[in-house]
Amino acid sequence: MDQLTLGGFEPSPERLRHRLFFALLPDAATRARIEAVTLQSLSRVPGGGRRVRPHRYHLTLRWLGDHPDAHAHVLDMATHAARGVRLAPFDLDLDLRGAFPSARVCWLGCRQAPAALPALRVRLDQGLLGGPVRLKGGTALVPHVTVLRDCIDPWPEGALESPVPWRVERFVLLRSDLDGGHAYEEVAAWPLQG
């Protein structure tokens, strides 16, 4: 028997519940240094925002979108892409303070990203081509770690007095539960090895 539908009352699509993305996660020592520099920056250039908790610090590599509960096909494609990455560990220096005023966030970032960082993103993108994830063209990677949200006065861009050295030895796939307060779950991790 066919289901009756009324004009304007179509069945609702699956609700989007999970946000997926590749990211770099700092280790505990690097997180502590990021937090210390954030506090130091706030004492010099108040941003008036909500501090991000250190366990949530990350640098997004590639956004994979928002998905319903049934997203195993996206996880499979992401895993396939990640397994194809061959890249040696590298050093990244967070030596810049800045903001995205339209998003009302303040961040710590890099004046000069190491060549390995965009190379990592390109390798992931190559592995994702032809899969269920639609990559947005023209989205340049602005390497940053968000440290403040809901900023009243976004930080002007400027050099950090105490740069944060970060040895990047792995990358991860994170899932954020949109219903659970955006709690992050590390789905999988891959070591960098050249």
Side-chain angles (χ1 to χ4, degrees):
M1 179 182 220
D2 291 336
Q3 181 179 3
L4 296 175
T5 59
L6 299 173
F9 293 96
E10 303 301 321
S12 64
E14 286 187 272
R15 191 166 52 90
L16 300 179
R17 182 156 179 253
H18 297 282
R19 181 163 289 165
L20 296 167
F21 55 100
F22 283 114
L24 302 179
L25 290 180
D27 60 26
T30 305
R31 281 195 312 268
R33 286 192 295 271
I34 292 170
E35 182 178 32
V37 168
T38 298
L39 292 172
Q40 182 183 50
S41 293
L42 278 169
S43 70
R44 289 179 170 79
V45 188
R50 229 177 358 102
R51 282 187 26 226
V52 173
R53 293 184 186 143
H55 71 275
R56 295 179 60 91
Y57 292 156
H58 66 275
L59 188 152
T60 300
L61 291 169
R62 171 51 76 189
W63 179 259
L64 301 178
D66 294 343
H67 303 277
D69 280 332
H71 58 270
H73 61 294
V74 178
L75 294 178
D76 289 345
M77 180 54 79
T79 300
H80 168 77
R83 286 184 180 152
V85 171
R86 297 289 175 264
L87 195 67
F90 59 92
D91 294 312
L92 181 149
D93 289 324
L94 298 175
D95 57 3
L96 186 68
R97 170 192 313 114
F100 298 132
S102 61
R104 298 181 59 208
V105 299
C106 294
W107 46 259
L108 303 182
C110 310
R111 277 186 290 194
Q112 181 66 45
L117 187 60
L120 174 55
R121 188 177 193 209
V122 165
R123 286 177 173 85
L124 288 170
D125 286 356
Q126 289 168 341
L128 292 166
L129 288 176
V133 175
R134 298 222 185 271
L135 301 178
K136 292 181 182 177
T139 55
L141 177 63
V142 178
H144 69 280
V145 175
T146 298
V147 294
L148 291 175
R149 295 195 178 282
D150 302 323
C151 296
I152 296 164
D153 296 314
W155 288 342
E157 193 167 298
L160 291 175
E161 299 80 11
S162 306
V164 177
W166 181 353
R167 180 69 175 168
V168 178
E169 297 182 329
R170 69 185 196 126
F171 64 99
V172 300
L173 178 63
L174 291 180
R175 176 171 38 213
S176 177
D177 184 344
L178 300 176
D179 288 342
H182 292 276
Y184 294 149
E185 172 192 359
E186 188 176 311
V187 177
W190 296 270
L192 290 175
Q193 45 199 9

